[in-house]
Amino acid sequence: MVMKSGGFYYGKKLLLFLFSIFLLSAVIFFISRLAPGDPLVSYYGDHAERMSPEERQWAEEKLGLTDSLPVQYVHWLERALQGDFGISYKYKRDVTEVIGERMGNTLILGGIGFCLIFGLALALGIFCAWREESLADRVICKIGTVTSCIPEFWMSLLLILIFAMNLKWLPSSGAYTLGGTRDLEDRIRHLILPLTAVIMGHLWYYAYMIRNKILEEARADYVLFARSKGLKKSSIVLKHCLRNVLPTYLSLMAISLPHILGGTYIIEMVFSYPGIGTLAYESARYKDYNLLMVLSILSGITVILCSIVAEIINERMNPCIRGNHIVEDTEVAER
Amino acid sequence: MREQFEIVGMLPAPHTPIEKKRKWYQGKPVFRTILLVLIVTGCFACDLVMTKEPTYLDLNHFNSAPNREFLFGTDTMGRDIFSMIWYGGRTSLVIGIVATAISTAMGIIFGALSGSMPDWMDKVLMRLTEILLSVPGLLLVVLLQAVLGKANVLSISFVIGITGWMSIGKVVRTEVKGLGNKEYVIASKCMGGGFFHILGKHLTPNIVSSVMFMVIMNVRNAIMAESALSFMGLGLPVEEISWGSMLSLSQNALLTNSWWIILIPGSFLLVTLMCVTSLGNSLRKKINQKDSNL
């Protein structure tokens, strides 16, 4: 297969990305317009209820609510591209403003959680594969299977019950102590429990995958060859096996990024941590459709972006997948 | 012929039994299966197990710790937790099963359709579903509730089912791609067999083994999803008892430090999830049976 030039390749991916976002936003727009509720309210808040019929008429025409849905979508898209997503019904402010305030908190929780999961899973997976079938491996596998079955919200509840209610070591909610000094130490103390919940919920899934992939590699012939050549176990595992496992792991991590960020939603809610998750939950409870719609589009974009990044990682780092159909063809020919 | 020659220096192989004798229960999750069967029968025969009326609000004994009358204590509304566990477990299990039935049916139909189509159509279909599935479930849930009115068992199963079929769909698609060019499928097509005929008669029997694991994992995920939704107050309401909606009282329970409201329903949920998971895992082929070269 002739390698296409980099620019063409990334251009194609970018086009795919833009097209996907376009479709996604259209779908979400139509879904949320189907929901009962007055769209006027989501733009003007309570003010909409006090409008006279003439004002209503004028407002509806101004917002284009008298048009058909596709036309409305185009108008919405035009405004959205200029950064105007309307106002939140509950907060009576611009949606972008409300989200902007909370975004940082979620990124901190999800980002630190993601990095820790990434590193710890790698270390744990290699350790377990190294000591395959030893006591440590079996104990870790058992504990891991149990933790991966615990629903995240229940894990959070347990953590609060044990460490905040009974041992009184750590605070149970918020990002800062109310009325306290907003310093770093306070912040970290508030982060520990939610972070633990995030990590515990995901860690074993990835660690177990690494473990199994390395064990699969360890059964390959090249390992036997390297062994007979006299290479050390450490250099075989770290230099040879890991290198074969890494592309799969990286692309898996890319796909799982939105999963981990999304998983923080319910944890944020339990800890009343002021992030996107709590916001989405509130908007769902109070039927703040406009806010919910923007949040949905945002998380949808993250999903699409991450899956395209995963594809790029796969295709650039692992030539086997890029030429996949060629490999299949040769197999057919050999048969 | 053989007896006439004797190979010099041949070492006759000693007779060794090839496999160690294993008892029938070794390597099988017997204990967990029994536990699961106990929980499931307990839940579906809850009328026989319950000691109290699960929906009765006993205002004299609200929030009391486990004692002889209320085996697992009562919740903040004065309901007996022991009875609620079995009564609500039935709801949770039914949701898990119905949701999985929906997602399995969708997954198999989609996977077979996508797998038997020409390459470019297949790619387009996969892309489209990827986009559709990046619509967050939260929005769908809220919308469906707004349309259907109050959430009930069926609507929750429906929501969980239509958001969870992708994993099955992908596995089926890969399997069908491998089977699509087999002679018997082509023969059936030549004789005028329709899509659903081929799917039911020829493809499904071949993919059952690989899909079974995904189906069982789907049951687990559906039960998990239900509990999370109900816990948040977006799924079943508090009056409709399930393990998730029982846990939705836990925010109040945290304030009074009544651990039994959180711990007991959650443990039942966890044990069920674990049993289902290990059942699924034991169904899966053991991949690492070769010896390590390290």
Side-chain angles (χ1 to χ4, degrees):
Chain A
M1 187 173 145
V2 184
M3 262 292 285
K4 279 158 189 162
S5 64
F8 182 78
Y9 176 77
Y10 289 111
K12 214 172 111 189
K13 291 282 171 201
L14 187 70
L15 257 171
L16 190 69
F17 175 60
L18 291 178
F19 181 68
S20 304
I21 289 181
F22 173 75
L23 266 183
L24 172 81
S25 65
V27 168
I28 291 183
F29 183 84
F30 287 121
I31 290 181
S32 53
R33 276 290 180 276
L34 279 177
D38 191 353
L40 268 189
V41 175
S42 68
Y43 279 99
Y44 294 109
D46 283 337
H47 189 57
E49 279 150 29
R50 288 187 304 257
M51 283 176 175
S52 64
E54 293 83 38
E55 272 179 320
R56 253 190 110 79
Q57 181 87 28
W58 175 82
E60 273 181 4
E61 264 170 29
K62 184 175 166 251
L63 288 173
L65 291 176
T66 46
D67 298 328
S68 62
L69 267 180
V71 179
Q72 276 190 42
Y73 172 66
V74 173
H75 286 303
W76 176 85
L77 197 63
E78 271 171 16
R79 278 197 303 276
L81 285 178
Q82 289 158 11
D84 173 19
F85 288 97
I87 69 160
S88 151
Y89 173 56
K90 182 167 175 261
Y91 291 89
K92 315 264 183 282
R93 276 191 299 152
D94 262 11
V95 168
T96 39
E97 230 176 85
V98 179
I99 294 177
E101 276 170 16
R102 305 284 194 100
M103 189 61 132
N105 283 332
T106 295
L107 285 183
I108 288 176
L109 182 63
I112 298 178
F114 180 77
C115 295
L116 282 176
I117 290 171
F118 188 88
L120 284 176
L122 203 58
L124 203 61
I126 293 174
F127 175 80
C128 284
W130 189 282
R131 302 258 173 110
E132 190 196 351
E133 291 301 314
S134 71
L135 185 68
D137 176 41
R138 273 181 291 166
V139 168
I140 292 178
C141 280
K142 281 268 184 281
I143 295 175
T145 322
V146 174
T147 54
S148 67
C149 282
I150 302 179
E152 279 163 338
F153 68 91
W154 197 59
M155 170 84 76
S156 317
L157 286 173
L158 280 188
L159 288 174
I160 293 181
L161 194 67
I162 295 170
F163 292 104
M165 296 301 298
N166 289 317
L167 295 175
K168 296 199 169 34
W169 285 351
L170 293 160
S172 67
S173 66
Y176 288 106
T177 312
L178 275 178
T181 50
R182 300 193 142 217
D183 56 357
L184 191 66
E185 194 208 324
D186 190 36
R187 179 91 178 125
I188 292 173
R189 279 170 55 83
H190 278 85
L191 262 180
I192 293 176
L193 285 186
L195 256 183
T196 318
V198 171
I199 293 171
M200 295 275 273
H202 290 281
L203 180 62
W204 183 245
Y205 178 76
Y206 302 106
Y208 193 59
M209 198 215 83
I210 289 271
R211 174 186 178 272
N212 283 351
K213 285 272 171 198
I214 291 184
L215 288 183
E216 229 171 85
E217 291 291 325
R219 280 150 181 75
D221 288 337
Y222 73 89
V223 173
L224 191 61
F225 176 65
R227 200 72 180 141
S228 56
K229 225 167 55 171
L231 285 187
K232 267 186 289 178
K233 191 174 169 182
S234 59
S235 78
I236 298 175
V237 171
L238 295 179
K239 283 189 189 154
H240 296 261
C241 295
L242 201 57
R243 185 173 286 191
N244 282 338
V245 173
L246 224 48
T248 332
Y249 184 51
L250 281 180
S251 69
L252 183 79
M253 288 311 286
I255 293 176
S256 68
L257 177 65
H259 194 65
I260 290 175
L261 281 178
T264 64
Y265 278 26
I266 194 161
I267 292 171
E268 278 181 13
M269 190 213 115
V270 179
F271 285 98
S272 347
Y273 181 87
I276 299 283
T278 323
L279 197 64
Y281 165 70
E282 280 172 358
S283 63
R285 289 261 11 212
Y286 298 103
K287 310 246 176 325
D288 192 345
Y289 289 117
N290 204 28
L291 185 58
L292 188 60
M293 179 174 86
V294 178
L295 285 173
S296 300
I297 292 179
L298 210 62
S299 71
I301 289 177
T302 329
V303 173
I304 293 175
L305 185 67
C306 288
S307 78
I308 287 185
V309 168
E311 251 170 53
I312 293 177
I313 292 175
N314 259 336
E315 292 172 1
R316 289 272 136 166
M317 284 180 72
N318 194 351
C320 283
I321 295 177
R322 187 169 54 223
N324 212 0
H325 59 279
I326 294 181
V327 174
E328 280 169 14
D329 285 352
T330 48
E331 269 171 15
V332 171
E334 274 164 17
R335 237 187 274 146
Chain B
M1 282 298 270
R2 228 166 154 200
E3 291 85 41
Q4 294 169 9
F5 298 97
E6 195 180 313
I7 300 167
V8 180
M10 189 182 78
L11 186 72
H15 179 74
T16 45
I18 300 163
E19 256 182 69
K20 259 192 265 171
K21 212 176 174 189
R22 285 162 71 98
K23 295 222 168 67
W24 64 271
Y25 55 82
Q26 272 173 342
K28 287 179 189 142
V30 173
F31 175 66
R32 285 171 231 186
T33 314
I34 292 173
L35 208 58
L36 187 65
V37 169
L38 273 182
I39 291 179
V40 171
T41 30
C43 289
F44 282 99
C46 58
D47 294 326
L48 304 173
V49 186
M50 290 189 302
T51 52
K52 304 251 169 200
E53 179 66 30
T55 48
Y56 175 64
L57 309 177
D58 191 344
L59 295 177
N60 293 325
H61 301 95
F62 71 94
N63 220 5
S64 59
N67 54 38
R68 201 164 286 174
E69 194 189 349
F70 303 100
L71 291 171
F72 288 161
T74 57
D75 68 1
T76 48
M77 291 159 78
R79 297 178 293 185
D80 177 40
I81 292 185
F82 181 76
S83 310
M84 284 167 79
I85 289 272
W86 304 107
Y87 186 76
R90 189 168 63 176
T91 317
S92 287
L93 293 175
V94 164
I95 289 180
I97 294 166
V98 174
T100 308
I102 294 173
S103 60
T104 310
M106 282 183 73
I108 289 183
I109 291 176
F110 171 81
L113 207 62
S114 172
S116 51
M117 285 214 171
D119 234 17
W120 67 271
M121 266 298 263
D122 176 38
K123 265 188 186 156
V124 170
L125 264 180
M126 289 310 278
R127 279 274 171 228
L128 279 181
T129 45
E130 230 166 68
I131 292 167
L132 281 182
L133 284 175
S134 52
V135 177
L138 199 61
L139 183 72
L140 280 177
V141 174
V142 175
L143 176 80
L144 218 80
Q145 276 193 347
V147 174
L148 297 176
K150 220 172 188 184
N152 57 33
V153 174
L154 275 183
S155 70
I156 292 289
S157 318
F158 182 68
V159 172
I160 296 171
I162 60 169
T163 46
W165 55 271
M166 192 61 181
S167 52
I168 295 181
K170 271 191 174 158
V171 173
V172 174
R173 171 177 162 268
T174 341
E175 292 282 322
V176 168
K177 278 207 128 176
L179 291 171
N181 294 326
K182 285 269 171 9
E183 283 80 0
Y184 57 84
V185 176
I186 298 173
S188 180
K189 258 184 210 164
C190 289
M191 286 186 268
F195 171 73
F196 282 99
H197 172 78
I198 295 176
L199 177 62
K201 274 269 176 205
H202 302 294
L203 297 181
T204 313
N206 277 302
I207 54 180
V208 162
S209 57
S210 53
V211 170
M212 213 47 214
F213 168 72
M214 303 302 293
V215 169
I216 288 190
M217 282 303 159
N218 239 289
V219 174
R220 176 191 111 147
N221 290 345
I223 294 176
M224 233 174 186
E226 185 275 328
S227 66
L229 280 176
S230 300
F231 167 74
M232 288 200 292
L234 296 170
L236 294 173
V238 188
E239 306 87 62
E240 193 126 356
I241 303 169
S242 77
W243 288 335
S245 69
M246 284 171 78
L247 283 167
S248 66
L249 290 173
S250 50
Q251 299 282 27
N252 300 339
L254 273 182
L255 295 176
T256 52
N257 204 359
S258 19
W259 51 268
W260 58 93
I261 298 178
I262 301 170
L263 227 50
I264 292 172
S267 318
F268 267 79
L269 182 64
L270 175 61
V271 169
T272 311
L273 292 177
M274 271 175 54
C275 292
V276 173
T277 312
S278 75
L279 253 182
N281 277 333
S282 69
L283 264 182
R284 193 157 50 163
K285 264 188 308 185
K286 281 180 188 150
I287 42 164
N288 288 324
Q289 284 188 332
K290 270 173 78 183
D291 280 331
S292 171
N293 282 337
L294 266 176

